[in-house]
Amino acid sequence: MRKWLVFGLLLGLMVSPSTAGAQGGIKLENMTVELLSEYDQPSMLVIHEFTLDDSTPLPAKVTLRFPRDGNLTAVAYWDDRFINADYTGPESQGNWQTVTLNVESYVPYRIEYYQPLTRDGNQRSFTFQWFGDYPVNEFIVTTQIPADSTNIVSEPPFTDSSLSKNGKHLIGIVTQDNLKMGQSSDFKLAYERDSESVTQPSNSANIQPSEPIGPNTEGRVSINSLPWIIAGFGLILIGMAVYFYWRSTQVTEQKSRRRRTGKGEDAGSEPAYCHECGARSNAGDRFCRTCGSKLRT
C-alpha cells in the first residue's frame, strides 16, 4: 500500500511541471509585437498586443516577460478604447521581468514598455526575443524606424515594407504562423542614422501659435513699453502713500485739538471761584451767584 502511495506522489510531481508549463491550456489567437524606434523617446517603444484563442477558458492569467532594463508604462485592454487592465507585477526573474494580466474576454490586451537601443556611433541595433511561452496561431513583428535611416538590416528579413503616410517612418513586417509551445523566435534590427531627433515629439513640443506672434498679438506686452508701465505703477504707489500720510496727520491733529479744548470749553476759560465764599462761578459772571460779591478778574 505504501509503495502505491509513493508511486502516486512521484507521478504527481512529474505531471505538475508539465501542467505549469502549459499555462493552464492558454493559446493565443494572435500576438503582434510593435517596435517603434526613436518614436517619442530616444529608445525603443515595445508593444505586445495579443488576443486569446476562443478555446481558452476565461478568466485566464497570461504572463508576459520583458527585459530587465525595460520600463513598463502601460497594461490595457480594448473596449472601444484602451482601458487600464487588471494585472500583477512586474516581478524580476534574472535578466527578465514578468507581468501577469487577468484576461476576462476575447478582446485585445497589451503591455507597453521602453527599452534602450544599443548604440555604436551612428549605428543603432535592437534584439527582440520570444520564448514560446504560449502557442500562437499568428505571430507578427511590426517595425517602425525613422525615414532618414540608412543601411537597414533585419533578421529574419522583412516580408513586407513601406513608407508611412506621413513620410516620417519606414515600416517593416515579419510574420510567422502556428508557433508551438516552446518554439522561440528572435528578431534583430540594425540601422544607421545621423540625427538624434525623435519622430513623434510630445504634444507640448508640437503646440504652435495659430498666427505669427507680433507686437499687436492679444495678451502680449511689448518690452519697449515695460519701463513706462513700471514707472506709472510706481507713481501710483507714491500717490497712495502721500494720501494715507496726509489722512493720518489730519486724524492726529483732530484728536489733539479735542484733548486741548476738553468738553467743548475754550482753552482760555479756566474755572473762577468767589474770593469771599469760595463758590464756583460760571464763565462770564461778574458777581458771585451765592453771596453777591464782585468777582475778581
Side-chain angles (χ1 to χ4, degrees), residues 100-146:
T100 301
L101 291 76
N102 299 317
V103 180
E104 298 181 348
S105 60
Y106 301 107
V107 298
Y109 279 73
R110 63 160 56 183
I111 67 170
E112 301 180 14
Y113 60 90
Y114 287 91
Q115 186 178 346
L117 292 166
T118 300
R119 295 173 178 263
D120 183 9
N122 291 337
Q123 187 176 55
R124 280 80 151 163
S125 59
F126 186 83
T127 300
F128 172 80
Q129 294 177 286
W130 170 256
F131 290 91
D133 294 322
Y134 304 100
V136 186
N137 291 335
E138 183 181 43
F139 188 85
I140 302 173
V141 177
T142 300
T143 303
Q144 178 178 289
I145 60 178

Side-chain angles (χ1 to χ4, degrees), residues 140-201:
I140 302 173
V141 177
T142 300
T143 303
Q144 178 178 289
I145 60 178
D148 57 358
S149 303
T150 58
N151 298 326
I152 303 169
V153 178
S154 71
E155 184 182 342
F158 294 134
T159 55
D160 188 18
S161 61
S162 61
L163 184 67
S164 65
K165 292 181 179 181
N166 60 13
K168 293 183 177 181
H169 312 106
L170 295 172
I171 300 174
I173 299 175
V174 175
T175 303
Q176 295 176 283
D177 294 332
N178 299 318
L179 293 183
K180 307 300 182 183
M181 171 75 72
Q183 184 178 350
S184 62
S185 179
D186 292 353
F187 176 80
K188 297 180 180 180
L189 173 70
Y191 64 93
E192 294 181 5
R193 187 173 183 241
D194 295 330
S195 175
E196 293 291 337
S197 63
V198 296
T199 58
Q200 189 66 33

Side-chain angles (χ1 to χ4, degrees), residues 53 76 251:
D53 185 86
V251 172

Side-chain angles (χ1 to χ4, degrees), residues 40-272:
D40 57 354
Q41 293 186 18
S43 55
M44 182 71 78
L45 172 58
V46 184
I47 302 175
H48 295 228
E49 185 172 304
F50 67 89
T51 305
L52 287 181
D53 185 86
D54 56 13
S55 64
T56 301
L58 295 178
K61 293 185 179 296
V62 178
T63 299
L64 300 177
R65 71 175 83 186
F66 59 98
R68 181 175 57 186
D69 58 357
N71 178 27
L72 184 68
T73 58
V75 180
Y77 70 96
W78 181 257
D79 185 9
D80 292 331
R81 68 185 191 282
F82 277 106
I83 301 173
N84 291 335
D86 183 25
Y87 71 98
T88 58
E91 299 178 358
S92 297
Q93 294 186 2
N95 292 327
W96 300 90
Q97 303 178 71
T98 60
V99 58
T100 301
L101 291 76
N102 299 317
V103 180
E104 298 181 348
S105 60
Y106 301 107
V107 298
Y109 279 73
R110 63 160 56 183
I111 67 170
E112 301 180 14
Y113 60 90
Y114 287 91
Q115 186 178 346
L117 292 166
T118 300
R119 295 173 178 263
D120 183 9
N122 291 337
Q123 187 176 55
R124 280 80 151 163
S125 59
F126 186 83
T127 300
F128 172 80
Q129 294 177 286
W130 170 256
F131 290 91
D133 294 322
Y134 304 100
V136 186
N137 291 335
E138 183 181 43
F139 188 85
I140 302 173
V141 177
T142 300
T143 303
Q144 178 178 289
I145 60 178
D148 57 358
S149 303
T150 58
N151 298 326
I152 303 169
V153 178
S154 71
E155 184 182 342
F158 294 134
T159 55
D160 188 18
S161 61
S162 61
L163 184 67
S164 65
K165 292 181 179 181
N166 60 13
K168 293 183 177 181
H169 312 106
L170 295 172
I171 300 174
I173 299 175
V174 175
T175 303
Q176 295 176 283
D177 294 332
N178 299 318
L179 293 183
K180 307 300 182 183
M181 171 75 72
Q183 184 178 350
S184 62
S185 179
D186 292 353
F187 176 80
K188 297 180 180 180
L189 173 70
Y191 64 93
E192 294 181 5
R193 187 173 183 241
D194 295 330
S195 175
E196 293 291 337
S197 63
V198 296
T199 58
Q200 189 66 33
S202 61
N203 291 334
S204 60
N206 284 332
I207 296 175
Q208 299 292 333
S210 58
E211 60 182 14
I213 297 176
N216 298 323
T217 301
E218 184 178 357
R220 180 183 175 123
V221 177
S222 173
I223 194 170
N224 294 328
S225 60
L226 188 59
W228 294 102
I229 295 174
I230 295 175
F233 186 67
L235 289 175
I236 292 174
L237 291 178
I238 293 172
M240 291 176 65
V242 171
Y243 171 76
F244 284 115
Y245 175 76
W246 176 80
R247 286 285 300 168
S248 65
T249 57
Q250 293 296 311
V251 172
T252 302
E253 184 176 348
Q254 291 175 3
K255 289 181 179 180
S256 178
R257 185 181 300 115
R258 282 197 295 269
R259 284 197 298 269
R260 290 197 304 267
T261 59
K263 297 182 180 180
E265 298 177 352
D266 291 338
S269 58
E270 297 180 358

